[in-house]
Amino acid sequence: MASFGWKRKIGEKVSKATSQQFEAEAADDKDLGDDEDANWVLAAKRRKEILLEDCVRKSKELKDEGANLAESMRYREALVKWDEALQLTPEDATLYEMKSQVLMSLHEMFPAVHAAEMAVQRNPRSWDAWQTLGRAQLGLGEIALAIRSFQVSLHIFPMNPEVWKEDLSWARKLLVQQKATTTESMQALAKRAELVQESIPDYDFESDEIVAVCAAIAEKEKALSAAKTMVIVSASGTVETVTEQDNCPSTPDETLFIRAR
């Protein structure tokens, strides 16, 4: 009778040298795959860098074209160029600041303030963006806000004579005038209220004269209500006015007279 021994695992039939060779080839394949992945990542990053460089270059060209148009007072065309540039470089604070200046030249103050605020948000350290924001706020009559914006601009660039001598000085003068005008208006309103109060006489409705007049009017109304007057036209055409008293309600015979209202 034949006996069967224990079956060895298939893996045990593989020699140690063959196993080591297989592991070395697998490691080489893994390194090659890692190199291919790294090359793909580097290639994608490089393409992105090239695309960004192209966007920046095209944006600069559009910015320069818009600046030339603005110098020629072709403001609407300049805005179109700068809007196209912002599609390529939306974080460019200079484009928003230039837009704000042109919008102020077109007397569009609300969009000018918005554009200047966008410039300040993208570059809070830009003194000229704060200066432009202050000028736009002055155009809206927001003098206190404009003064603050000019002060921030001076804090960033303290040696700027334009902001110090022109913008901030002018805004402070406007603020003084505004306060003076407000004070005068309040005083005029108070004076007018006093005049209106003085023009109304202060009647004493409980005086003896007023009571006597009221009593006389009441007696007259009572007498008129007690006596009723009617106009009567007779059949023959005679017109007669008859006063009817409350204590004597008799009237002429209605067969002889026709009552006329």
Side-chain angles (χ1 to χ4, degrees):
M1 182 175 178
S3 61
F4 296 90
W6 174 67
K7 293 182 179 180
R8 299 173 62 186
K9 295 181 179 180
I10 296 176
E12 294 181 359
K13 296 181 179 180
V14 181
S15 65
K16 186 176 181 180
T18 304
S19 176
Q20 291 175 350
Q21 183 180 0
F22 177 77
E23 291 176 355
E25 290 177 356
D28 293 338
D29 293 339
K30 183 179 180 181
D31 293 338
L32 181 60
D34 292 341
D35 292 340
E36 290 178 354
D37 291 340
N39 291 335
W40 181 86
V41 172
L42 291 175
K45 186 181 295 185
R46 181 55 184 165
R47 284 195 297 270
K48 183 178 181 180
E49 292 175 355
I50 294 173
L51 180 61
L52 290 175
E53 291 174 358
D54 291 340
C55 289
V56 171
R57 178 181 53 79
K58 181 61 176 177
S59 176
K60 186 178 183 305
E61 292 177 358
L62 292 169
K63 182 194 294 185
D64 294 338
E65 292 176 9
N68 293 329
L69 291 170
E71 290 177 358
S72 302
M73 301 181 68
R74 297 164 63 180
Y75 298 132
R76 296 294 181 186
E77 298 176 47
L79 290 175
V80 172
K81 295 293 183 181
W82 291 335
D83 286 336
E84 293 178 2
L86 283 172
Q87 296 295 323
L88 301 172
T89 55
E91 298 301 319
D92 192 343
T94 307
L95 286 170
Y96 284 106
E97 191 269 334
M98 295 167 71
K99 277 190 64 176
S100 180
Q101 292 188 48
V102 168
L103 289 168
M104 280 190 284
S105 299
L106 294 172
H107 303 288
E108 298 182 9
M109 293 305 171
F110 282 104
V113 170
H114 176 69
E117 288 176 345
M118 296 291 285
V120 167
Q121 291 176 6
R122 280 153 178 75
N123 187 8
R125 300 295 301 171
S126 174
W127 64 266
D128 49 354
W130 283 103
Q131 180 187 23
T132 302
L133 176 59
R135 291 178 175 179
Q137 289 168 337
L138 271 184
L140 284 180
E142 299 291 345
I143 302 175
L145 293 177
I147 290 176
R148 180 185 176 277
S149 297
F150 293 143
Q151 289 173 342
V152 175
S153 178
L154 279 174
H155 179 74
I156 299 171
F157 184 24
M159 303 305 294
N160 188 349
E162 184 180 15
V163 177
W164 181 263
K165 295 181 180 180
E166 297 180 11
D167 296 315
L168 187 57
S169 177
W170 172 244
R172 285 176 173 172
K173 289 180 180 178
L174 290 177
L175 184 62
V176 172
Q177 294 177 3
Q178 185 185 54
K179 289 182 178 179
T181 303
T182 303
T183 303
E184 292 177 358
S185 300
M186 294 299 293
Q187 292 176 352
L189 289 174
K191 187 176 181 179
R192 186 179 302 174
E194 291 177 358
L195 292 175
V196 171
Q197 187 67 27
E198 292 176 357
S199 63
I200 300 175
D202 187 13
Y203 293 108
D204 184 8
F205 292 99
E206 296 182 358
S207 64
D208 296 337
E209 293 83 359
I210 298 297
V211 172
V213 171
C214 292
I217 294 174
E219 290 295 332
K220 185 175 181 180
E221 292 292 334
K222 184 178 180 181
L224 291 175
S225 61
K228 299 179 181 179
T229 303
M230 64 182 70
V231 178
I232 299 176
V233 181
S234 64
S236 61
T238 304
V239 178
E240 183 179 356
T241 301
V242 179
T243 301
E244 180 181 358
Q245 300 292 337
D246 290 340
N247 54 4
C248 185
S250 62
T251 58
D253 189 356
E254 292 185 356
T255 60
L256 300 177
F257 296 95
I258 300 173
R259 194 178 290 184
R261 297 180 180 177

